[in-house]
Amino acid sequence: MAVRWAVVGPVLLVASLLASGCGGSGQSLPPVHGAPEDASLWQVPTDGVQKAIDALPGMAQRAIEELGVPGMAIAVVHDDQLVFAEGFGVRRLGDDQQIDPDTVFPVADLSVPVAATVVARAVEQGGVRWTDPVRSYLPEFSLAEPVASNATTIEDLFAQRSGLPDQAGVLFADLGYSDEQVIEMLHAFPLRPFRTSYHYTEVGVLAAEAAVARAKNASWAELSRQLMFVPAGMTRTWVGEGPPDGNRASPHARAGDGLAPSDREARPTELWTTARDLAQWMRVMLSAGRLGSDEVLDPEQVQNLITPRMTTNAPTSTAGRAGLYGLGVGITVDEAGRVRLSHSGGSAAGVSASVAMLPAERVGIAVLTNAEPTGAPEAIVAEFLERVETGGARRPWLEVYRSVFSGAREHPGSLPDAPPMDARPMSPLAAYTGTYHNDLYGDAQVVERDGHLVLRLGPRQREFTLEPYDGDILAVETRGEAAAGRQAVTFTVPPGRAASSFSMTYLEVAPGLGTFTRVG
């Protein structure tokens, strides 16, 4: 295998000269253009991994106590071995059933890098290619611009460069539309520049999964099981269903100042897995596709997955480092000069998880929690890897991520909490009740219940209470993954008549698409 080289700067150049025994003896030196691409001047302490493992129980306990996380499971792999797997806390608040390494968690967007390996296996087998247009298998896939609709490939969607805006489709899922319906609704979103801008959306990945499954004439769940879960020994991993036994973690979402069990509904394409199973997957990734003596995935496919396609965030200074993205995998170069592969997943309805790997050291960690995003998994991952590389923790990672995630939960909305001092009276309740239609969302209903108005939206008729605010401008508190605080619902009410329409800016994924017209 050829050794590849990369220019990494003059410091490493000097180090490589000294290491080769070349000095100031006056002898002729061969040209040296850089250092091995996996080289780092910052050497990992010989006991760095073990010391980091020894600190994990304390990290987990602090996260449970300080962030209120009910429980978590953690797994660590090193040199193709599972070296740590433990559970902490409880599966459900109010119950004493403990989490263990085989407790099953829904992992939200952490499914994306796992799904990428399923596609890689499908490509390896033949019959589908990363560069195939999605519409060649999924003709119902359509974007706002015909050129993008026809040109978008499976690779584009996994690289998050289709031009779909951030989190496109999440609002539709909140309202109860199925994955298939959400995919068909993607045409409503105005596109960002195609293949030149990174915007993360899991629904784009769902479309790519659907295309690959159709190309292979199988369901995505069965394809995932056959191509990855079984070969990788992921015996407690499923798509779309939880475990057949009761060893599963219950999601917990924000309730007042704390967390409480959530009534979150599982989606048909959701990934359920365990810390022990994610360890198996990390072993495959860190061993160039191998699991022990067995090849699970072609090494070229693994390399393809972790080859950067897009810049996720540009440096903010000349000394800054860029964030990169491959096919379902985040890629960074850390402070020690090592490539780090990572991905997180989270849902406001009550789960969060994170995985990170240092390929040069063949070490990886997965942290799964049964709480909405609090920063706990990311903080534990960051502190663990810092301990691996330096032998200690130099930053208060739990505080850092607590601050980041608490700020992300703030949704100020478009309306102040208090109505204006000179607020106008609203029309009679009967003026608002009725059925309204929108070509994108379908029918919506406004009904009266116990002296209050309730707005019903989406195929599952999700209910939102409408509160008086200022005349025919009513207020609604949004919720779900796309929650945006208190929002206005503005009715058009001709004098002495029933409302003819209402508009809701919150639903305007494109101008004008948030207006509903009375039909009954």
Side-chain angles (χ1 to χ4, degrees):
M1 180 176 65
V3 177
R4 289 169 297 178
W5 300 80
V7 176
V8 292
V11 174
L12 260 180
L13 172 58
V14 172
S16 64
L17 287 173
L18 293 175
S20 67
C22 299
S25 62
Q27 65 197 47
S28 175
L29 299 179
V32 179
H33 302 292
E37 62 180 16
D38 61 352
S40 173
L41 285 177
W42 189 341
Q43 297 303 307
V44 168
T46 56
D47 58 353
V49 174
Q50 188 55 54
K51 282 189 173 180
I53 289 173
D54 293 342
L56 277 173
M59 294 185 219
Q61 196 57 42
R62 286 200 309 274
I64 289 173
E65 293 174 357
E66 296 181 26
L67 298 181
V69 175
M72 66 182 67
I74 304 175
V76 175
V77 297
H78 184 222
D79 286 339
D80 199 30
Q81 298 293 322
L82 176 64
V83 293
F84 181 89
E86 287 191 23
F88 304 89
V90 296
R91 301 178 202 165
R92 181 182 177 89
L93 286 175
D95 200 331
D96 60 358
Q97 291 182 316
Q98 299 295 299
I99 288 174
D100 61 50
D102 297 309
T103 299
V104 176
F105 292 75
V107 294
D109 291 32
L110 193 54
S111 65
V112 172
V114 177
T117 57
V118 176
V119 176
R121 282 278 335 258
V123 170
E124 181 183 335
Q125 287 188 343
V128 64
R129 297 171 299 181
W130 284 105
T131 54
D132 286 343
V134 174
R135 294 193 75 177
S136 60
Y137 306 113
L138 203 68
E140 61 268 33
F141 175 81
S142 180
L143 300 180
E145 298 174 10
V147 171
S149 295
N150 294 323
T152 297
T153 65
I154 296 164
E155 179 177 332
D156 290 329
L157 294 177
F158 268 94
Q160 305 292 345
R161 64 185 188 190
S162 67
L164 285 167
D166 281 333
Q167 302 300 329
V170 171
L171 171 61
F172 301 151
D174 279 351
L175 296 176
Y177 293 92
S178 68
D179 291 341
E180 292 79 10
Q181 289 172 315
V182 173
I183 290 171
E184 292 182 8
M185 296 166 78
L186 291 178
H187 65 84
F189 292 93
L191 296 182
R192 277 54 171 177
F194 181 53
R195 287 186 182 158
T196 62
S197 60
Y198 169 91
H199 299 281
Y200 184 87
T201 171
E202 190 184 7
V203 175
V205 173
L206 293 181
E209 293 173 354
V212 173
R214 196 169 295 179
K216 302 294 284 185
N217 195 29
S219 70
W220 177 252
E222 181 58 23
L223 199 66
S224 299
R225 191 188 72 82
Q226 290 180 356
L227 299 188
M228 182 51 58
F229 304 162
V230 170
M234 301 169 71
T235 59
R236 288 181 61 76
T237 299
W238 295 270
V239 168
E241 60 182 34
D245 56 53
N247 191 4
R248 78 166 73 188
S250 296
H252 292 75
R254 185 66 46 187
D257 294 330
L259 295 168
S262 165
D263 58 358
R264 176 180 185 272
E265 298 177 12
R267 297 186 68 79
T269 53
E270 183 161 34
L271 183 72
W272 298 72
T273 191
T274 70
R276 194 186 303 276
D277 277 10
L278 279 178
Q280 294 290 96
W281 178 82
M282 288 191 295
R283 287 176 61 196
V284 173
M285 292 295 289
L286 290 168
S287 299
R290 301 194 72 82
L291 189 64
S293 60
D294 298 325
E295 183 175 286
V296 175
L297 188 59
D298 187 294
E300 291 186 4
Q301 287 294 334
V302 177
Q303 192 62 44
N304 185 48
L305 294 175
I306 63 175
T307 298
R309 301 308 203 278
M310 299 298 294
T311 299
T312 58
N313 55 281
T316 57
S317 71
T318 54
R321 290 183 296 272
L324 306 170
Y325 202 78
L327 296 178
V329 183
I331 307 161
T332 57
V333 176
D334 66 17
E335 296 93 328
R338 291 183 178 86
V339 171
R340 183 177 296 187
L341 309 176
S342 63
H343 211 287
S344 289
S347 165
V351 298
S352 59
S354 187
V355 64
M357 295 168 278
L358 295 177
E361 304 304 324
R362 299 188 71 197
V363 63
I365 179 172
V367 182
L368 290 73
T369 77
N370 56 349
E372 70 167 47
T374 62
E378 292 80 6
I380 291 173
V381 165
E383 181 174 338
F384 174 81
L385 293 181
E386 187 171 71
R387 287 179 179 275
V388 166
E389 292 190 305
T390 70
R394 303 185 178 189
R395 278 166 284 193
W397 286 112
L398 204 60
E399 290 300 318
V400 170
Y401 278 100
R402 186 201 332 239
S403 176
V404 169
F405 278 80
S406 62
R409 284 197 301 269
E410 298 299 323
H411 302 299
S414 64
L415 290 178
D417 289 340
M421 295 294 292
D422 58 348
R424 298 160 295 174
M426 61 186 294
S427 300
L429 297 185
Y432 305 106
T433 59
T435 301
Y436 300 78
H437 181 77
N438 176 286
D439 288 342
L440 177 63
Y441 294 96
D443 287 347
Q445 290 185 322
V446 177
V447 299
E448 181 182 348
R449 180 187 298 155
D450 299 328
H452 299 281
L453 292 175
V454 175
L455 172 64
R456 294 174 177 164
L457 284 171
R460 299 185 185 179
Q461 294 290 279
R462 298 285 167 85
E463 294 190 349
F464 300 85
T465 299
L466 297 173
E467 302 173 356
Y469 192 78
D470 184 10
D472 294 321
I473 301 174
L474 307 184
V476 62
E477 194 68 34
T478 59
R479 62 180 187 272
E481 301 298 319
R486 175 170 287 206
Q487 296 287 328
V489 182
T490 303
F491 286 84
T492 300
V493 185
R497 299 172 58 188
S500 58
S501 64
F502 75 81
S503 61
M504 193 172 178
T505 305
Y506 172 65
L507 300 177
E508 285 195 350
V509 296
L513 292 185
T515 298
F516 290 70
T517 303
R518 179 184 288 276
V519 293

